[in-house]
Amino acid sequence: MQYDKRKKLINKIFSICSGMEFEEAAMELFLLQSQHNKVYKKYLRLLGADAGKIGRIKDIPCLPVSLFKTQKVLTAEEPVKLVFKSSAAGRTIPSRHFIADTSLYKASFMKCFEIFYGSPADYCIIALLPSYLERGDSSLIYMVSSLISKSTHPESGFYLNDLAGLAAKIKELEKINRKTLLIGVSFAL
């Protein structure tokens, strides 16, 4: 995929302001993926789907999760910088998410966070993510670590097994009326 074309699409995606703009960008991204992502291109061919004849988001074929377990699903031409793996619940083969552009990946979740919550600097961000933290290849840990690094509150961080300390910290933050965000997985909460 040409760098200028990709950069133009990225800028378009991060400036969407309407449903129509979203639809246009999604269709453009679908067409780029159908042309430049080898795994997706082959999948569409096997389905007998003609990307040029698909005109609505709801008609875009979704790539099965099973292919993320067995194939290197990647569109970018540059080398892979990160590989995230799913938790492989039920002892199955983990899905893999290959990242070639870490700045785009970070910009995506940071922009989303800011749209819904505002600046991470305004929050004390506390994470309770046991088993994810120990793995080291979790996209959730990567995202939360990045958010914590943008927090200006010194108490932001991971609480691995210190549930009493976590509860006390939340009560303390409530007393001083500090905006706090607790990010955790359901089994830990």
Short mmCIF file of all heavy atoms in Angstrom, two decimals, residues 32-80:
data_model
loop_
_atom_site.label_atom_id
_atom_site.label_comp_id
_atom_site.label_asym_id
_atom_site.label_seq_id
_atom_site.Cartn_x
_atom_site.Cartn_y
_atom_site.Cartn_z
N LEU A 32 -9.03 -1.14 0.47
CA LEU A 32 -7.58 -1.24 0.62
C LEU A 32 -7.18 -2.59 1.21
O LEU A 32 -6.22 -3.22 0.75
CB LEU A 32 -7.06 -0.10 1.49
CG LEU A 32 -6.97 1.26 0.80
CD1 LEU A 32 -6.65 2.35 1.82
CD2 LEU A 32 -5.92 1.25 -0.29
N GLN A 33 -7.92 -3.04 2.22
CA GLN A 33 -7.63 -4.34 2.84
C GLN A 33 -7.82 -5.46 1.81
O GLN A 33 -7.03 -6.40 1.75
CB GLN A 33 -8.53 -4.59 4.05
CG GLN A 33 -8.24 -3.71 5.24
CD GLN A 33 -6.98 -4.11 5.96
OE1 GLN A 33 -6.58 -5.26 5.98
NE2 GLN A 33 -6.32 -3.14 6.57
N SER A 34 -8.87 -5.36 1.01
CA SER A 34 -9.17 -6.41 0.04
C SER A 34 -8.09 -6.49 -1.05
O SER A 34 -7.90 -7.54 -1.65
CB SER A 34 -10.54 -6.20 -0.59
OG SER A 34 -10.55 -5.08 -1.46
N GLN A 35 -7.38 -5.40 -1.27
CA GLN A 35 -6.33 -5.38 -2.29
C GLN A 35 -4.94 -5.71 -1.73
O GLN A 35 -4.13 -6.33 -2.41
CB GLN A 35 -6.27 -3.99 -2.94
CG GLN A 35 -7.50 -3.63 -3.73
CD GLN A 35 -7.55 -2.14 -4.05
OE1 GLN A 35 -6.63 -1.39 -3.75
NE2 GLN A 35 -8.66 -1.71 -4.63
N HIS A 36 -4.67 -5.29 -0.50
CA HIS A 36 -3.30 -5.37 0.01
C HIS A 36 -3.08 -6.36 1.15
O HIS A 36 -1.93 -6.60 1.52
CB HIS A 36 -2.84 -3.97 0.46
CG HIS A 36 -2.83 -2.98 -0.67
ND1 HIS A 36 -1.85 -2.96 -1.63
CD2 HIS A 36 -3.70 -1.99 -0.98
CE1 HIS A 36 -2.12 -1.99 -2.49
NE2 HIS A 36 -3.23 -1.40 -2.13
N ASN A 37 -4.12 -6.91 1.73
CA ASN A 37 -3.97 -7.91 2.78
C ASN A 37 -4.11 -9.28 2.13
O ASN A 37 -5.20 -9.69 1.73
CB ASN A 37 -5.05 -7.69 3.86
CG ASN A 37 -4.87 -8.61 5.03
OD1 ASN A 37 -4.72 -9.82 4.86
ND2 ASN A 37 -4.89 -8.06 6.22
N LYS A 38 -3.00 -10.00 2.02
CA LYS A 38 -2.98 -11.26 1.28
C LYS A 38 -3.98 -12.29 1.83
O LYS A 38 -4.65 -12.98 1.07
CB LYS A 38 -1.57 -11.84 1.28
CG LYS A 38 -0.59 -11.02 0.47
CD LYS A 38 0.83 -11.58 0.60
CE LYS A 38 1.80 -10.64 -0.09
NZ LYS A 38 3.19 -11.07 0.10
N VAL A 39 -4.04 -12.39 3.15
CA VAL A 39 -4.95 -13.36 3.77
C VAL A 39 -6.40 -12.99 3.48
O VAL A 39 -7.21 -13.85 3.09
CB VAL A 39 -4.71 -13.47 5.29
CG1 VAL A 39 -5.73 -14.37 5.96
CG2 VAL A 39 -3.30 -13.97 5.57
N TYR A 40 -6.74 -11.71 3.66
CA TYR A 40 -8.12 -11.27 3.42
C TYR A 40 -8.48 -11.37 1.94
O TYR A 40 -9.59 -11.78 1.58
CB TYR A 40 -8.30 -9.85 3.94
CG TYR A 40 -9.74 -9.40 3.98
CD1 TYR A 40 -10.70 -10.15 4.66
CD2 TYR A 40 -10.16 -8.25 3.35
CE1 TYR A 40 -12.03 -9.75 4.70
CE2 TYR A 40 -11.48 -7.83 3.39
CZ TYR A 40 -12.41 -8.60 4.06
OH TYR A 40 -13.73 -8.20 4.10
N LYS A 41 -7.55 -11.03 1.08
CA LYS A 41 -7.78 -11.10 -0.37
C LYS A 41 -8.11 -12.55 -0.77
O LYS A 41 -9.05 -12.80 -1.52
CB LYS A 41 -6.53 -10.60 -1.10
CG LYS A 41 -6.67 -10.50 -2.59
CD LYS A 41 -5.39 -9.90 -3.17
CE LYS A 41 -5.53 -9.60 -4.63
NZ LYS A 41 -4.37 -8.88 -5.17
N LYS A 42 -7.33 -13.49 -0.25
CA LYS A 42 -7.57 -14.91 -0.55
C LYS A 42 -8.92 -15.36 0.03
O LYS A 42 -9.66 -16.10 -0.62
CB LYS A 42 -6.44 -15.76 0.01
CG LYS A 42 -6.58 -17.24 -0.30
CD LYS A 42 -5.39 -18.04 0.22
CE LYS A 42 -5.57 -19.51 -0.10
NZ LYS A 42 -4.43 -20.30 0.41
N TYR A 43 -9.22 -14.92 1.24
CA TYR A 43 -10.49 -15.27 1.88
C TYR A 43 -11.67 -14.80 1.02
O TYR A 43 -12.62 -15.56 0.78
CB TYR A 43 -10.55 -14.66 3.29
CG TYR A 43 -11.84 -14.90 4.01
CD1 TYR A 43 -12.19 -16.17 4.48
CD2 TYR A 43 -12.73 -13.85 4.24
CE1 TYR A 43 -13.37 -16.38 5.15
CE2 TYR A 43 -13.92 -14.06 4.92
CZ TYR A 43 -14.24 -15.33 5.36
OH TYR A 43 -15.42 -15.54 6.02
N LEU A 44 -11.60 -13.56 0.55
CA LEU A 44 -12.67 -13.03 -0.31
C LEU A 44 -12.79 -13.85 -1.59
O LEU A 44 -13.90 -14.16 -2.05
CB LEU A 44 -12.42 -11.56 -0.64
CG LEU A 44 -12.54 -10.57 0.52
CD1 LEU A 44 -12.15 -9.17 0.07
CD2 LEU A 44 -13.94 -10.57 1.11
N ARG A 45 -11.65 -14.21 -2.17
CA ARG A 45 -11.66 -15.01 -3.40
C ARG A 45 -12.33 -16.37 -3.15
O ARG A 45 -13.15 -16.83 -3.94
CB ARG A 45 -10.25 -15.18 -3.92
CG ARG A 45 -10.23 -15.77 -5.35
CD ARG A 45 -8.85 -16.05 -5.85
NE ARG A 45 -8.46 -17.29 -5.20
CZ ARG A 45 -7.32 -17.53 -4.56
NH1 ARG A 45 -6.41 -16.68 -4.51
NH2 ARG A 45 -7.05 -18.65 -3.97
N LEU A 46 -11.98 -17.02 -2.03
CA LEU A 46 -12.57 -18.32 -1.70
C LEU A 46 -14.08 -18.22 -1.45
O LEU A 46 -14.82 -19.17 -1.72
CB LEU A 46 -11.86 -18.94 -0.50
CG LEU A 46 -10.41 -19.39 -0.75
CD1 LEU A 46 -9.73 -19.78 0.55
CD2 LEU A 46 -10.36 -20.53 -1.76
N LEU A 47 -14.52 -17.06 -0.91
CA LEU A 47 -15.95 -16.85 -0.71
C LEU A 47 -16.67 -16.54 -2.02
O LEU A 47 -17.90 -16.60 -2.09
CB LEU A 47 -16.19 -15.67 0.24
CG LEU A 47 -15.94 -15.86 1.72
CD1 LEU A 47 -16.20 -14.56 2.47
CD2 LEU A 47 -16.81 -16.97 2.29
N GLY A 48 -15.89 -16.16 -3.03
CA GLY A 48 -16.50 -15.71 -4.28
C GLY A 48 -17.03 -14.29 -4.17
O GLY A 48 -17.92 -13.89 -4.91
N ALA A 49 -16.47 -13.53 -3.25
CA ALA A 49 -16.93 -12.15 -3.02
C ALA A 49 -16.10 -11.18 -3.85
O ALA A 49 -14.87 -11.23 -3.83
CB ALA A 49 -16.80 -11.80 -1.53
N ASP A 50 -16.78 -10.32 -4.58
CA ASP A 50 -16.13 -9.29 -5.38
C ASP A 50 -16.16 -7.99 -4.59
O ASP A 50 -17.22 -7.39 -4.41
CB ASP A 50 -16.87 -9.14 -6.71
CG ASP A 50 -16.24 -8.10 -7.63
OD1 ASP A 50 -15.34 -7.35 -7.19
OD2 ASP A 50 -16.66 -8.05 -8.81
N ALA A 51 -14.99 -7.55 -4.10
CA ALA A 51 -14.91 -6.35 -3.26
C ALA A 51 -15.51 -5.13 -3.96
O ALA A 51 -16.11 -4.28 -3.33
CB ALA A 51 -13.47 -6.08 -2.86
N GLY A 52 -15.35 -5.06 -5.27
CA GLY A 52 -15.87 -3.92 -6.03
C GLY A 52 -17.38 -3.85 -6.06
O GLY A 52 -17.95 -2.80 -6.36
N LYS A 53 -18.04 -4.95 -5.76
CA LYS A 53 -19.52 -4.98 -5.79
C LYS A 53 -20.14 -4.83 -4.40
O LYS A 53 -21.35 -4.84 -4.26
CB LYS A 53 -20.00 -6.28 -6.43
CG LYS A 53 -19.68 -6.35 -7.91
CD LYS A 53 -20.20 -7.61 -8.53
CE LYS A 53 -19.86 -7.64 -10.02
NZ LYS A 53 -20.30 -8.88 -10.65
N ILE A 54 -19.29 -4.72 -3.37
CA ILE A 54 -19.80 -4.55 -2.01
C ILE A 54 -19.89 -3.05 -1.74
O ILE A 54 -18.89 -2.35 -1.82
CB ILE A 54 -18.90 -5.27 -0.99
CG1 ILE A 54 -18.98 -6.78 -1.24
CG2 ILE A 54 -19.30 -4.92 0.45
CD1 ILE A 54 -18.01 -7.61 -0.44
N GLY A 55 -21.08 -2.58 -1.44
CA GLY A 55 -21.28 -1.14 -1.31
C GLY A 55 -21.71 -0.65 0.06
O GLY A 55 -21.86 0.55 0.26
N ARG A 56 -21.94 -1.58 1.00
CA ARG A 56 -22.38 -1.17 2.33
C ARG A 56 -21.59 -1.92 3.39
O ARG A 56 -21.19 -3.07 3.19
CB ARG A 56 -23.88 -1.46 2.53
CG ARG A 56 -24.76 -0.70 1.57
CD ARG A 56 -26.21 -1.00 1.78
NE ARG A 56 -26.42 -2.45 1.83
CZ ARG A 56 -27.59 -3.03 1.80
NH1 ARG A 56 -28.69 -2.30 1.75
NH2 ARG A 56 -27.72 -4.33 1.86
N ILE A 57 -21.39 -1.26 4.52
CA ILE A 57 -20.61 -1.86 5.62
C ILE A 57 -21.18 -3.21 6.03
O ILE A 57 -20.43 -4.16 6.24
CB ILE A 57 -20.57 -0.91 6.84
CG1 ILE A 57 -19.74 0.32 6.53
CG2 ILE A 57 -20.00 -1.61 8.06
CD1 ILE A 57 -19.75 1.36 7.63
N LYS A 58 -22.48 -3.29 6.13
CA LYS A 58 -23.09 -4.53 6.62
C LYS A 58 -22.86 -5.72 5.70
O LYS A 58 -23.03 -6.86 6.10
CB LYS A 58 -24.58 -4.34 6.89
CG LYS A 58 -25.43 -4.16 5.67
CD LYS A 58 -26.89 -4.03 6.06
CE LYS A 58 -27.74 -4.25 4.82
NZ LYS A 58 -29.08 -4.67 5.15
N ASP A 59 -22.42 -5.47 4.47
CA ASP A 59 -22.16 -6.55 3.51
C ASP A 59 -20.69 -6.97 3.45
O ASP A 59 -20.34 -7.88 2.72
CB ASP A 59 -22.63 -6.12 2.12
CG ASP A 59 -24.14 -5.86 2.07
OD1 ASP A 59 -24.88 -6.54 2.82
OD2 ASP A 59 -24.56 -4.97 1.31
N ILE A 60 -19.84 -6.30 4.22
CA ILE A 60 -18.41 -6.63 4.22
C ILE A 60 -18.20 -7.96 4.95
O ILE A 60 -18.59 -8.11 6.10
CB ILE A 60 -17.58 -5.52 4.92
CG1 ILE A 60 -17.66 -4.22 4.13
CG2 ILE A 60 -16.13 -5.97 5.09
CD1 ILE A 60 -17.00 -3.03 4.83
N PRO A 61 -17.59 -8.93 4.28
CA PRO A 61 -17.32 -10.21 4.95
C PRO A 61 -16.25 -10.04 6.04
O PRO A 61 -15.21 -9.43 5.82
CB PRO A 61 -16.78 -11.10 3.82
CG PRO A 61 -17.22 -10.45 2.56
CD PRO A 61 -17.26 -8.96 2.86
N CYS A 62 -16.55 -10.58 7.21
CA CYS A 62 -15.60 -10.52 8.33
C CYS A 62 -14.68 -11.72 8.29
O CYS A 62 -15.12 -12.85 8.04
CB CYS A 62 -16.35 -10.50 9.66
SG CYS A 62 -17.34 -9.03 9.88
N LEU A 63 -13.42 -11.47 8.52
CA LEU A 63 -12.43 -12.53 8.55
C LEU A 63 -12.63 -13.36 9.83
O LEU A 63 -12.72 -12.80 10.92
CB LEU A 63 -11.03 -11.90 8.56
CG LEU A 63 -9.85 -12.75 8.17
CD1 LEU A 63 -9.99 -13.31 6.77
CD2 LEU A 63 -8.58 -11.92 8.26
N PRO A 64 -12.75 -14.68 9.71
CA PRO A 64 -12.96 -15.51 10.91
C PRO A 64 -11.78 -15.42 11.88
O PRO A 64 -10.62 -15.35 11.45
CB PRO A 64 -13.08 -16.93 10.36
CG PRO A 64 -13.30 -16.78 8.89
CD PRO A 64 -12.72 -15.47 8.49
N VAL A 65 -12.06 -15.45 13.17
CA VAL A 65 -11.03 -15.39 14.20
C VAL A 65 -10.03 -16.54 14.02
O VAL A 65 -8.84 -16.38 14.28
CB VAL A 65 -11.67 -15.42 15.61
CG1 VAL A 65 -10.62 -15.59 16.68
CG2 VAL A 65 -12.48 -14.17 15.84
N SER A 66 -10.50 -17.67 13.55
CA SER A 66 -9.61 -18.84 13.39
C SER A 66 -8.42 -18.52 12.49
O SER A 66 -7.34 -19.09 12.67
CB SER A 66 -10.39 -20.03 12.85
OG SER A 66 -10.95 -19.71 11.58
N LEU A 67 -8.58 -17.62 11.53
CA LEU A 67 -7.46 -17.28 10.65
C LEU A 67 -6.40 -16.47 11.37
O LEU A 67 -5.22 -16.51 11.00
CB LEU A 67 -7.96 -16.55 9.41
CG LEU A 67 -8.74 -17.42 8.43
CD1 LEU A 67 -9.27 -16.60 7.26
CD2 LEU A 67 -7.90 -18.58 7.93
N PHE A 68 -6.78 -15.75 12.42
CA PHE A 68 -5.80 -15.01 13.21
C PHE A 68 -4.95 -15.96 14.06
O PHE A 68 -3.93 -15.57 14.61
CB PHE A 68 -6.48 -13.96 14.10
CG PHE A 68 -7.05 -12.81 13.32
CD1 PHE A 68 -8.34 -12.85 12.84
CD2 PHE A 68 -6.28 -11.68 13.07
CE1 PHE A 68 -8.86 -11.79 12.12
CE2 PHE A 68 -6.79 -10.62 12.35
CZ PHE A 68 -8.09 -10.67 11.87
N LYS A 69 -5.39 -17.20 14.17
CA LYS A 69 -4.63 -18.21 14.92
C LYS A 69 -3.62 -18.93 14.03
O LYS A 69 -2.64 -19.48 14.52
CB LYS A 69 -5.59 -19.24 15.53
CG LYS A 69 -6.51 -18.65 16.57
CD LYS A 69 -7.46 -19.69 17.11
CE LYS A 69 -8.36 -19.05 18.15
NZ LYS A 69 -9.07 -20.04 18.95
N THR A 70 -3.89 -18.95 12.73
CA THR A 70 -3.07 -19.76 11.83
C THR A 70 -2.34 -18.96 10.75
O THR A 70 -1.42 -19.49 10.13
CB THR A 70 -3.93 -20.82 11.13
OG1 THR A 70 -4.95 -20.16 10.36
CG2 THR A 70 -4.57 -21.77 12.14
N GLN A 71 -2.75 -17.72 10.52
CA GLN A 71 -2.19 -16.92 9.43
C GLN A 71 -1.58 -15.62 9.96
O GLN A 71 -1.99 -15.13 11.01
CB GLN A 71 -3.27 -16.56 8.40
CG GLN A 71 -3.99 -17.75 7.81
CD GLN A 71 -3.07 -18.63 7.00
OE1 GLN A 71 -2.31 -18.15 6.16
NE2 GLN A 71 -3.13 -19.94 7.24
N LYS A 72 -0.66 -15.07 9.21
CA LYS A 72 -0.11 -13.75 9.54
C LYS A 72 -0.97 -12.72 8.81
O LYS A 72 -0.75 -12.43 7.64
CB LYS A 72 1.35 -13.67 9.09
CG LYS A 72 2.04 -12.39 9.52
CD LYS A 72 3.50 -12.43 9.12
CE LYS A 72 4.23 -11.19 9.60
NZ LYS A 72 5.65 -11.23 9.22
N VAL A 73 -1.97 -12.19 9.52
CA VAL A 73 -2.90 -11.23 8.94
C VAL A 73 -2.27 -9.85 9.09
O VAL A 73 -2.18 -9.32 10.20
CB VAL A 73 -4.28 -11.29 9.64
CG1 VAL A 73 -5.24 -10.29 9.02
CG2 VAL A 73 -4.85 -12.71 9.56
N LEU A 74 -1.85 -9.29 7.97
CA LEU A 74 -1.12 -8.02 8.00
C LEU A 74 -1.24 -7.34 6.64
O LEU A 74 -1.11 -7.99 5.61
CB LEU A 74 0.35 -8.29 8.32
CG LEU A 74 1.26 -7.10 8.55
CD1 LEU A 74 0.86 -6.32 9.79
CD2 LEU A 74 2.70 -7.56 8.67
N THR A 75 -1.47 -6.06 6.65
CA THR A 75 -1.59 -5.29 5.41
C THR A 75 -0.35 -4.47 5.14
O THR A 75 0.05 -4.29 4.00
CB THR A 75 -2.82 -4.36 5.47
OG1 THR A 75 -3.96 -5.18 5.71
CG2 THR A 75 -3.02 -3.63 4.17
N ALA A 76 0.28 -3.97 6.16
CA ALA A 76 1.41 -3.06 6.00
C ALA A 76 2.59 -3.73 5.32
O ALA A 76 2.78 -4.95 5.43
CB ALA A 76 1.84 -2.53 7.36
N GLU A 77 3.37 -2.93 4.63
CA GLU A 77 4.54 -3.44 3.92
C GLU A 77 5.79 -3.41 4.80
O GLU A 77 6.77 -4.08 4.51
CB GLU A 77 4.77 -2.60 2.65
CG GLU A 77 3.63 -2.73 1.68
CD GLU A 77 3.58 -1.61 0.66
OE1 GLU A 77 4.44 -0.72 0.68
OE2 GLU A 77 2.65 -1.62 -0.16
N GLU A 78 5.76 -2.62 5.88
CA GLU A 78 6.94 -2.53 6.73
C GLU A 78 7.01 -3.70 7.72
O GLU A 78 6.04 -4.43 7.89
CB GLU A 78 6.98 -1.18 7.47
CG GLU A 78 5.80 -0.91 8.35
CD GLU A 78 4.76 0.03 7.73
OE1 GLU A 78 4.59 0.06 6.52
OE2 GLU A 78 4.09 0.70 8.51
N PRO A 79 8.15 -3.90 8.35
CA PRO A 79 8.33 -5.03 9.27
C PRO A 79 7.41 -4.94 10.50
O PRO A 79 7.05 -3.86 10.93
CB PRO A 79 9.80 -4.92 9.70
CG PRO A 79 10.43 -3.89 8.85
CD PRO A 79 9.36 -3.09 8.21
N VAL A 80 7.12 -6.09 11.05
CA VAL A 80 6.29 -6.18 12.25
C VAL A 80 7.10 -5.69 13.45
O VAL A 80 8.24 -6.10 13.64
CB VAL A 80 5.82 -7.63 12.47
CG1 VAL A 80 5.14 -7.79 13.82
CG2 VAL A 80 4.90 -8.06 11.34
#
